Amino acid sequence: MTRQAIVIGGGIGGLTAAAALGRQGWQVTVHERNPALPDTGTALGIWPQALRALQVLGLGEEIRKAGRRQEAGAFLRPDGSPIARFDLDRMRRRAGDDVYLVPRPTLLSILHHAAVSAGAQVLLGRPVSHFEGFEADLVVVADGVFSQAREHLFGPAHRARYSGTTAWRGVVEGMSTDSFTEVWGPGLKFGVTPHDHGRTNWYAAATAPPASQHPGHELTTLREMYEGWAHPVSRVLDSVKETHILRHDIYVTPPLPSYVRGSTALIGDAAHAMTPDLGRGACESIIDAVTLAECVSEGTLSAGLGMYDRRRRPTTQRLARMAALAGWVSRVGHGRTVRDGLLRVSMLAGPPS
């Protein structure tokens, strides 16, 4: 008898789970509240660990072709002087592959095609109104940082909470770069990464009260905050348009006691929303999904879900702690000598695995 799975959320984690479960013979239905896949968005870094997970789905080469290999990386001070260089050659030798930058819409399109090709039914514009009452062997919760299913299962104590940081991001046309650059100042940071077709991603982060947006005046706010900062910050802020700026407060989730409750499993931000300081959120969603499919397709469902929790919860909760620490270290205005020394040591050690 074919086992049935319901996936709540059709983002990166949900579509990956649908593709992975479908390849394992599950009958999968995905419920996504948005009526269509996004056609705009910044590029996401796909780290070697996530690339290996995608390779399990037969998508490794397609992702490589769709993305841009990250060629170099550096952390700078606002005056342009270096704090540390990212040793990508060492990371490549250690991890066995490169980091590829893939636009979010492209990644979602690839995952959507993979899910449908694996037999999944993807219902866009069809949110889940009631969490209970599914007639399915497995429910996969992939509805993001503000997951209602997580709160239903674990209570309001595990509701997403404001991290204390707000972020801006966008894409600049006609400003191609091959490298990752992040600039650190007191309580502020600003970064750029490659995009496709001669474009560049940019992002900024600052400590701020929640809901302190300034619609229509974000560019002015950014130029005041980052006045006098060297390239690439100054060049981006000279080029960006107000209408192309996205701003959102960053929320995280308290550590869950389990990623499993009964026949329900949580993946991605629904399970472990973390600050973006390690650039691993999308990657961990992908790895969660592929790991879950592998675990529940061996032996009993209960044993498989327990295996998934043991394999993914310690790793992702450790990464969430590291991301929070990295964010704090990048923002502190005092003790910058210690901060910069810690970064140089971490760059020599390589990225987390």
Side-chain angles (χ1 to χ4, degrees):
M1 183 176 178
T2 302
R3 291 182 291 181
Q4 297 186 353
I6 299 291
V7 179
I8 305 174
I12 291 170
L15 290 175
T16 304
L21 288 166
R23 287 172 62 92
Q24 296 283 0
W26 288 74
Q27 182 179 327
V28 185
T29 303
V30 180
H31 289 264
E32 166 56 38
R33 69 173 57 251
N34 291 313
L37 297 177
D39 56 7
T40 61
T42 56
L44 302 169
I46 305 301
W47 290 70
Q49 299 91 335
L51 198 58
R52 284 195 291 272
L54 291 167
Q55 189 68 48
V56 172
L57 306 183
L59 301 177
E61 287 308 310
E62 188 173 0
I63 292 296
R64 291 184 179 91
K65 290 177 182 178
R68 290 187 62 180
R69 187 173 66 180
Q70 188 169 301
E71 299 291 347
F75 293 86
L76 309 176
R77 299 181 183 89
D79 63 4
S81 61
I83 300 172
R85 301 287 179 185
F86 205 135
D87 190 342
L88 289 171
D89 288 335
R90 178 168 183 163
M91 190 207 75
R92 188 179 300 114
R93 292 192 299 270
R94 182 184 178 198
D97 213 324
D98 294 285
V99 176
Y100 286 82
L101 282 299
V102 183
R104 182 184 291 272
T106 302
L107 178 59
L108 285 168
S109 178
I110 291 171
L111 293 173
H112 180 268
H113 183 264
V116 173
S117 297
Q121 184 180 21
V122 180
L123 304 177
L124 299 174
R126 294 279 297 277
V128 171
S129 56
H130 299 286
F131 176 70
E132 296 172 320
F134 289 124
E135 294 183 1
D137 300 284
L138 171 66
V139 177
V140 180
V141 174
D143 55 348
V145 60
F146 299 110
S147 170
Q148 295 180 0
R150 179 186 63 242
E151 188 172 343
H152 174 84
L153 289 168
F154 294 97
H158 291 90
R159 185 179 300 163
R161 61 193 181 197
Y162 182 49
S163 69
T165 301
T166 191
W168 299 260
R169 58 189 171 89
V171 178
V172 175
E173 303 284 345
M175 189 179 146
S176 181
T177 182
D178 291 324
S179 63
F180 157 85
T181 304
E182 196 164 277
V183 189
W184 289 3
L188 302 170
K189 69 178 175 182
F190 197 103
V192 299
T193 63
H195 206 312
D196 58 0
H197 306 303
R199 297 179 292 176
T200 290
N201 297 304
W202 67 270
Y203 57 90
T207 303
S212 56
Q213 286 86 347
H214 301 89
H217 302 282
E218 297 295 354
L219 181 55
T220 299
T221 300
L222 286 167
R223 286 175 173 170
E224 291 174 351
M225 289 170 58
Y226 294 96
E227 183 179 6
W229 284 39
H231 176 80
V233 182
S234 57
R235 186 179 174 193
V236 169
L237 293 182
D238 285 342
S239 304
V240 72
K241 298 178 180 179
E242 177 73 39
T243 54
H244 293 175
I245 297 174
L246 301 175
R247 180 175 176 177
H248 60 279
D249 291 340
I250 297 174
Y251 281 75
V252 297
T253 52
L256 286 170
S258 175
Y259 288 176
V260 172
R261 180 62 60 89
S263 60
T264 299
L266 285 75
I267 67 173
D269 284 350
H272 48 70
M274 62 186 76
T275 65
D277 297 279
L278 297 180
R280 296 287 289 263
C283 292
E284 298 311 311
S285 295
I286 290 168
I287 299 169
D288 284 352
V290 173
T291 302
L292 174 64
E294 291 175 344
C295 289
V296 299
S297 296
E298 301 175 5
T300 67
L301 179 63
S302 176
L305 288 170
M307 184 187 304
Y308 162 71
D309 183 59
R310 290 191 298 274
R311 288 177 59 180
R312 293 301 297 155
R313 184 159 53 91
T315 298
T316 52
Q317 290 184 346
R318 174 175 59 87
L319 285 169
R321 292 192 298 270
M322 292 174 65
L325 177 61
W328 178 83
V329 166
S330 72
R331 292 188 301 271
V332 290
H334 57 280
R336 278 178 240 166
T337 301
V338 174
R339 178 198 71 180
D340 296 354
L342 286 171
L343 177 63
R344 284 191 288 270
V345 170
S346 70
M347 289 299 98
L348 288 172
S353 59

